[in-house]
Amino acid sequence: YGARALNEGGFKSIPKLTFPGGLIVGDAAGFLNVPKIKGNHTAMKSGMLAAEAVHELLSAEAPAREAVAYPEKLRASWVWSELFAVRNIRPGFQKGLWAGLANAAYETATKGKSPWTLHHRHGDHETLKKASEMPKIAYPKPDGVVSFDRLSSVYLSNTNHEEDQPAHLTLKDASVPIAVNLALYDAPETRY
């Protein structure tokens, strides 16, 4: 319960990094070195580069609304080089474990100098099937020995949230969880 999901799409999944009034940095942008499963160093450096770009933007005579220098700074940094070198690791596993391992070994040995870049064949959302197409899973009740209830597990993870902390994620349309997530997919977000 102290763990979290990792954005493992890698180099080919990096989104547009700027928008008017904001930037996407660190893990939110997917700056994870997939084979090392490390991203703190890339997250911190991207934050530093973002701060430099924002400082330049605000120091300008006529500040613009979008810090377009940020992606340029990122592409010129070691972050971009590091992520580019491991760009083929995650997509290599689309053909199975053994093909992925062979590709990862090759990419590691050549330090990512392949003349090609593998692409993801589909978006993650395209693999989600409707609940009506899938078998029901009978989740066992926590036994208190090997498995535990959610509140106990969150307590043991030493995660601390203030009770009156405002939600940092808000829904644009509050009807979607009931009309779509529950109706079509049996509300998978209740079992993350």
Side-chain angles (χ1 to χ4, degrees):
Y1 280 83
R4 56 185 301 275
L6 297 174
N7 297 334
E8 64 170 11
F11 188 79
K12 294 301 294 178
S13 297
I14 296 173
K16 182 177 184 289
L17 299 170
T18 64
F19 52 92
L23 305 161
I24 303 175
V25 299
D27 191 47
F31 297 148
L32 174 74
N33 183 325
V34 174
K36 291 183 177 180
I37 316 174
K38 296 193 182 303
N40 285 349
H41 63 304
T42 52
M44 289 188 296
K45 182 63 176 177
S46 70
M48 293 161 69
L49 294 170
E52 289 174 14
V54 169
H55 180 266
E56 289 172 12
L57 178 94
L58 296 175
S59 299
E61 295 264 339
R65 294 188 46 170
E66 195 167 332
V68 294
Y70 167 55
E72 295 167 7
K73 289 177 175 295
L74 201 61
R75 283 185 193 95
S77 76
W78 58 261
V79 172
W80 203 257
S81 303
E82 179 176 324
L83 296 177
F84 183 80
V86 297
R87 72 193 179 283
N88 289 327
I89 301 287
R90 182 64 185 101
F93 283 90
Q94 293 180 121
K95 301 229 188 260
L97 177 63
W98 295 111
L101 289 173
N103 175 68
Y106 172 78
E107 291 292 336
T108 302
T110 62
K111 297 184 177 157
K113 291 190 169 71
S114 300
W116 58 81
T117 296
L118 300 176
H119 300 279
H120 298 287
R121 290 188 294 197
H122 54 73
D124 287 344
H125 68 283
E126 295 170 8
T127 63
L128 187 62
K129 295 182 180 175
K130 293 182 180 174
S132 61
E133 300 170 9
M134 301 302 296
K136 290 279 184 205
I137 300 172
Y139 293 98
K141 298 283 182 207
D143 62 11
V145 177
V146 176
S147 58
F148 302 90
D149 64 278
R150 185 176 299 165
L151 288 177
S152 298
S153 297
V154 170
Y155 172 77
L156 292 172
S157 74
N158 204 20
T159 304
N160 183 24
H161 298 286
E162 297 295 326
E163 293 296 325
D164 59 350
Q165 182 177 352
H168 62 282
L169 299 175
T170 57
L171 299 172
K172 287 186 177 182
D173 183 352
S175 69
V176 170
I178 303 299
V180 177
N181 298 10
L182 178 61
L184 299 178
Y185 303 105
D186 196 26
E189 65 274 13
T190 63
R191 293 180 297 282
Y192 292 158

